[in-house]
Amino acid sequence: MPDIVDKETRSRMMSGIRGKNTKPELVIRKGLHARGFRFRLHSSKVPGKPDLVLPRYRAAIFVHGCFWHSHDCHLFKMPSTRPDFWKAKLARNRERDEEIRKSLLDAGWRVLVIWECALKGKYRINLDELFTKVTAWIRGDDLEGEIAGRPV
């Protein structure tokens, strides 16, 4: 199936997609700050430049978009145009995520991934419940964690 917009329009649309300060990331930052947590943003001193770094807790938090990190949820749909390109690109994103996770754990950091589907879509989690989970993980001892939307 051909794209519904011309190449120039698609290029402009794709170039507008941000990697930092996304809406889901801002929601998480605002909620954690309101609960008294202080953090660094995209610290280049930490492997992978996590979205949020809480040095006091040796915690690194990533807020992953379900499409860009090919999460197995209702928000992810493989594009029908240029499937070989997208499969390779998204596979490499997943490989990079795994490499970063391992390097963080090896460096003594704890790693939490919050998926976009936890914040939006039909299976999103109530924000109070979401921040209860995030807060418990930050203050807990688990080395890794993952929070995703769940079927009701």
Side-chain angles (χ1 to χ4, degrees):
M1 181 174 132
D3 202 348
I4 60 172
V5 296
D6 59 74
K7 284 187 175 187
E8 293 78 24
T9 303
R10 177 63 62 200
S11 178
R12 184 175 36 81
M13 290 166 63
M14 294 302 285
S15 70
I17 296 172
R18 300 182 309 251
K20 294 180 181 178
N21 303 321
T22 61
K23 287 181 184 179
E25 184 183 330
L26 293 175
V27 168
I28 297 299
R29 285 167 31 184
K30 182 178 178 182
L32 288 177
H33 193 272
R35 285 160 179 79
F37 290 100
R38 299 301 176 253
F39 43 81
R40 301 272 185 263
L41 301 175
H42 312 287
S43 176
S44 59
K45 296 178 183 179
V46 180
K49 296 183 188 177
D51 298 318
L52 298 132
V53 176
L54 293 93
R56 176 179 175 185
Y57 300 94
R58 292 290 292 170
I61 299 175
F62 292 93
V63 183
H64 280 341
C66 294
F67 173 75
W68 294 106
H69 299 269
S70 34
H71 188 224
D72 184 23
C73 74
H74 71 287
L75 295 181
F76 175 74
K77 181 179 183 289
M78 183 64 74
S80 57
T81 57
R82 301 175 60 204
D84 294 338
F85 166 80
W86 284 109
K87 284 178 187 170
K89 178 168 185 56
L90 297 175
R92 179 61 189 128
N93 288 353
R94 293 293 298 243
E95 289 171 13
R96 189 177 313 109
D97 292 342
E98 184 60 21
E99 292 166 5
I100 291 169
R101 185 189 67 78
K102 285 180 181 175
S103 63
L104 283 165
L105 292 171
D106 290 345
W109 289 91
R110 300 166 53 234
V111 181
L112 175 67
V113 174
I114 302 171
W115 289 98
E116 176 186 19
C117 59
L119 297 164
K120 71 182 240 187
K122 61 184 175 183
Y123 299 129
R124 69 182 171 270
I125 301 172
N126 172 288
L127 285 181
D128 288 332
E129 182 182 342
L130 175 70
F131 284 111
T132 298
K133 289 181 179 192
V134 174
T135 300
W137 182 85
I138 291 171
R139 291 189 174 134
D141 296 328
D142 292 342
L143 293 179
E144 298 180 76
E146 184 174 357
I147 300 174
R150 55 172 169 34
V152 181

